[in-house]
Each structure stands twice: as C-alpha cells, then as structure tokens.
Amino acid sequence: MKKKILGVLLGVTLAAGLLAGCSQAKDNPGTTGGASAKARTLSEIKEDGTIKIGVFSDKNPFGYVDSNGKIQGYDVYFAKRLAKDLLGSEDKAEFVYVEAASRVEYLKSAKVDVILANFTVTDERKEQVDFALPYMKVALGVVSPDAALISDVTQLKDKTLIVVKGTTAETYFSENHQEVKLLKFDEYQEAYDALLDGRGDAFSTDNTEVLAWALQNKGFTVGIESIGNLDTIAPAVQKGNKELLDWINSEIETLGKEQFFHKDFEETLKPVYGDEIDPENLVVEGGQV
C-alpha cells in the first residue's frame, strides 16, 4: 500500500474518468423533480448569521466526531473556513449530520445550505443539485482481511461485498459487477462493523477512506487501491441557488492562491496517512483538476 502505486493507479484512471464520465449513484431514487422547500439565498444566510452545512459524522478522516465529541476532518476544516470568510467566524457554521443516501434530499428540502460530505460529482446528481468547483480527487478502493485478501475484482465473484447506500461504490458494482453480492448499509460505521464481524468478505468505498481505515485497523489491507473512474469531490447547493454557488466558487478560487487545501491535508489527513499518500494525488487547488 504505497503512495507510488496509488499515484500511478489514480493517474491511469484520470483519463478514463474524464472520458467516460463519473460513476453515478442514486440518492433517494424515489425523489425527483424540484425542491420541496426553497433554499436560503446568500443574503438570507448573511442576515441570519449562520450557515447550515451537511457533513458526515462517521467518515474518518473526512467528517467524524472525535472522542471529545467534536466534529473534525478534511471536509469540516473546509466548512469552518467557509463560515469564517462568509460570516466572520468558524463558529457560525451549524453542522448537520447526514448519511450518504440523504445528501440530495437534505438540499432539496432546504435542511442545509451546503453539502460538504465527501460528495462525489456524478451526472445523475448534477440533475438534482448544483455542484461548485472540486476540491478533491478520488477513486474507489476495496479493503479486506489479510487472511483472505481481495487483490483483484475477479476474486469477488459470488462473495459478499459491503457497501453504503447512495454511494458511487454501490452504483459501480451494481452496474458493472452483478456477479458480486452486495450487503448494503445506511451508515459507514455499520459497514465497518460488518466487515470487522465477518459478515462480508470486503468493503468498498472511496479509496482515500479505506486506506486510512486500514492503517488504523491491523489485519486489514486495501488490496484493490483504485477501481472505476477517477472522480472529483465538490460542495453542492440546492439547484438554482446561483448566488450561493457563485460565492463558493469564488471562495475556492481564492483559497487556491494560498494553497489552502494542502494545508487542510497537512492538518487533517497527514496525521492519518503519513507518507502513504502523496497530497498531489488527492488535493485539488482553485477548482482546477
């Protein structure tokens, strides 16, 4: 599990991802059409003095609650900066915990102003929400026990792969590897517990996350470090909320000039990954992939 290997694999999949388009995930498949509640405009957010940001609470090291009950992670670090630059203080960020399959609905119902929950940009999601410029690159990975390591997708035939509902992993394997049995959960912690308990042979989600998890859990290895397309992660707002979207895009471009996301990596991801991942294979500055 070396950064050189991951770098090569991500580099190879980048071209494929840009040509083939992002894998698509279904968030609340039964929910279509317009928003059920109108999102707050940028002016209304400023007037209220708080910005509601949807994040994960169980996806370490991107969005999670630490042992002291505080929300931490790569996405959270960014979210706090958004609040500081928009409203004058990072404490103005009101964090709303979401699950993977609820992200689109939380924007449609205006429960949050922005989603910053490791949200992969896909063509299907673009029809339902508006994505800002990207701030991270990611592909899928597969983690499994060392005693029965899965190092090639062909080894998953007739085996049970754990996935989280509403993720690109669920969609990718459903569409491309129907020979693999999928065990689906709503929350990431449930999925990891199932892997630890032996209810599945492997677990697939963003490679950045499974690499971090494997480093923290002895006896498990990411045997498949990159599969599928190289996708991008970006903030999302309710469809049509142009004023807020334009501000976020401008903010991402401005933050790029100070290499903000490299600082974010150093503060939140480097302590977990060490030298296993080169930040250039993950970080996107100024929205430019």
Side-chain angles (χ1 to χ4, degrees), residues 159-175:
K159 288 188 169 61
T160 299
L161 178 68
I162 299 164
V163 295
V164 174
K165 296 176 185 176
T167 63
T168 49
E170 179 192 14
T171 301
Y172 174 79
F173 281 97
S174 295
E175 294 180 351

Side-chain angles (χ1 to χ4, degrees), residues 140-145 150 156 158-174 180-206 209-210 213 220 227:
L140 295 175
V142 178
V143 61
S144 54
I150 300 294
L156 286 170
D158 297 326
K159 288 188 169 61
T160 299
L161 178 68
I162 299 164
V163 295
V164 174
K165 296 176 185 176
T167 63
T168 49
E170 179 192 14
T171 301
Y172 174 79
F173 281 97
S174 295
V180 180
K181 301 174 184 177
L182 299 183
L183 177 59
K184 304 177 184 182
F185 292 94
D186 292 317
E187 299 179 2
Y188 282 91
Q189 190 56 57
E190 292 177 330
Y192 282 120
D193 287 344
L195 181 62
L196 289 167
D197 294 344
R199 283 175 277 162
D201 298 288
F203 172 49
S204 180
T205 189
D206 294 349
E209 187 197 345
V210 288
W213 187 84
F220 292 87
I227 190 171

Side-chain angles (χ1 to χ4, degrees), residues 28-214:
N28 291 327
T31 304
T32 57
S36 56
K38 184 174 175 56
R40 298 192 302 170
T41 64
L42 183 65
S43 299
E44 290 170 335
I45 291 170
K46 288 180 177 179
E47 183 178 349
D48 179 69
T50 61
I51 181 168
K52 297 178 181 179
I53 303 177
V55 296
F56 284 129
S57 62
D58 61 350
K59 192 170 185 179
N60 187 353
F62 298 96
Y64 67 100
V65 176
D66 67 16
S67 58
N68 296 316
K70 294 183 178 180
I71 187 69
Q72 305 281 3
Y74 185 81
D75 292 341
V76 175
Y77 189 96
F78 177 30
K80 289 180 178 179
R81 180 61 183 266
L82 287 182
K84 181 179 179 181
D85 289 351
L86 179 62
L87 302 171
S89 170
E90 64 180 36
D91 294 332
K92 299 296 184 179
E94 180 182 331
F95 292 109
V96 178
Y97 300 153
V98 299
E99 296 176 356
S102 70
R103 290 172 294 189
V104 166
E105 182 57 31
Y106 268 53
L107 285 174
K108 284 188 169 187
S109 59
K111 293 178 181 177
V112 297
D113 302 305
V114 184
I115 286 288
L116 276 180
N118 236 225
F119 209 10
T120 303
V121 179
T122 71
D123 291 336
E124 183 174 4
R125 289 171 179 167
K126 285 180 182 179
E127 296 177 0
Q128 303 183 78
V129 303
D130 284 339
F131 283 101
L133 294 170
Y135 61 96
M136 192 167 72
K137 297 174 285 190
V138 69
L140 295 175
V142 178
V143 61
S144 54
D146 292 343
L149 186 65
I150 300 294
S151 57
D152 189 274
V153 69
T154 58
Q155 295 174 273
L156 286 170
K157 183 178 180 181
D158 297 326
K159 288 188 169 61
T160 299
L161 178 68
I162 299 164
V163 295
V164 174
K165 296 176 185 176
T167 63
T168 49
E170 179 192 14
T171 301
Y172 174 79
F173 281 97
S174 295
E175 294 180 351
N176 297 285
H177 294 285
Q178 296 181 7
E179 75 279 8
V180 180
K181 301 174 184 177
L182 299 183
L183 177 59
K184 304 177 184 182
F185 292 94
D186 292 317
E187 299 179 2
Y188 282 91
Q189 190 56 57
E190 292 177 330
Y192 282 120
D193 287 344
L195 181 62
L196 289 167
D197 294 344
R199 283 175 277 162
D201 298 288
F203 172 49
S204 180
T205 189
D206 294 349
N207 57 1
T208 48
E209 187 197 345
V210 288
L211 283 165
W213 187 84

